[in-house]
Amino acid sequence: MTTGGRRRLARWSLLLGAFGLAACDDAPRAAVALDLDGPRGAVEAPGPWTIHAFTSDDRPVTLWAAVDDAPLAALGTGTDPAGGVWALLPAAPPGAVIRYYAAAGALREPAEGERHVTVRAPREIEPPTPPPMTCSLAFRFPVDGLQLAQRDDDAPQAGVQITALLQTDLPDGAPARLVAGDRGYAASAAGGRLVFGGIDVPRGTLALVAEATPRGGTPCRAEVTVRR
């Protein structure tokens, strides 16, 4: 049994208990009750809005509705597997008032008049602000403190060229730069890597500083030192 079915069964059990069912054949018949479920107070456009009605003895129920001062009209209904009938309230713009009620023979819910529901404009939900993009840079080569091998015939002024490889989470195509001494080098991220080729390493100690700034995000930086 569905939650709605259990709720209705409990409701009718209370109703029957209140009216008091006698065991003998000549006991007075329990009163028939009509129940109407639907929006109250206000609803938010654009809908649709569902109403549901049923009686304690399963007699036919008609649902009526109108918008503002229009005449009340019977709604097309569907059969609810849990019992009773359901229908959709008519479409209405923000500011309109929907009136509706249920009828089953001489029974009516609400007993006097109709329910009035005001249609409100939909609330404007601001899209969540994405967090600023971050980036990370990590040297894979050279490692910090790397001592480059020298040949005996190297002249003091001779240079050595190396290729720097870094791991990154920058999106493909994002730019980055590497500064080595007084020279700068450029590269673009691809597959989570940055490759800076042809870096001149003179005699002595050289700091390699890689930097990047994702669009609209926070800069990142990595640094290693090599010796020759």
Side-chain angles (χ1 to χ4, degrees):
M1 179 181 295
T2 64
T3 302
R6 289 194 294 270
R7 186 173 65 249
R8 296 186 190 106
L9 179 60
R11 186 183 299 167
W12 293 130
S13 297
L14 292 174
L15 284 172
L16 293 176
F19 283 108
L21 292 179
C24 55
D25 293 339
D26 58 352
R29 183 175 298 177
V32 178
L34 171 62
D35 186 81
L36 175 63
D37 291 329
R40 298 171 181 264
V43 290
E44 189 173 291
W49 310 286
T50 305
I51 57 176
H52 174 264
F54 59 97
T55 61
S56 55
D57 64 351
D58 294 327
R59 70 178 62 187
V61 179
T62 304
L63 298 172
W64 298 79
V67 176
D68 291 331
D69 296 328
L72 288 155
L75 302 176
T77 58
T79 302
D80 191 324
V85 295
W86 64 271
L88 296 178
L89 291 174
V97 175
I98 301 175
R99 302 143 43 216
Y100 72 96
Y101 73 92
L107 300 174
R108 179 171 173 142
E109 178 62 30
E112 297 179 1
E114 309 104 17
R115 286 189 189 171
H116 288 207
V117 180
T118 301
V119 180
R120 295 185 305 211
R123 292 171 293 177
E124 293 186 3
I125 301 177
E126 295 184 1
T129 302
M133 290 184 62
T134 60
C135 67
S136 64
L137 296 172
F139 276 91
R140 290 294 173 256
F141 183 85
V143 296
D144 190 38
L146 176 68
Q147 179 71 52
L148 298 176
Q150 298 298 311
R151 300 195 308 272
D152 293 338
D153 59 351
D154 272 353
Q157 71 274 15
V160 173
Q161 289 191 335
I162 63 172
T163 296
L165 173 63
L166 289 89
Q167 181 177 327
T168 183
D169 60 359
L170 290 167
D172 287 356
R177 71 170 184 166
L178 184 143
V179 177
D182 59 356
R183 299 195 61 179
Y185 305 84
S188 297
R193 300 193 308 169
L194 286 164
V195 180
F196 299 90
I199 301 171
D200 288 322
V201 182
R203 287 286 184 90
T205 301
L206 180 67
L208 306 181
V209 180
E211 298 174 325
T213 302
R215 181 175 298 178
T218 305
C220 54
R221 185 176 186 272
E223 180 178 352
V224 296
T225 301
V226 296
R227 295 176 177 83
R228 172 173 172 258

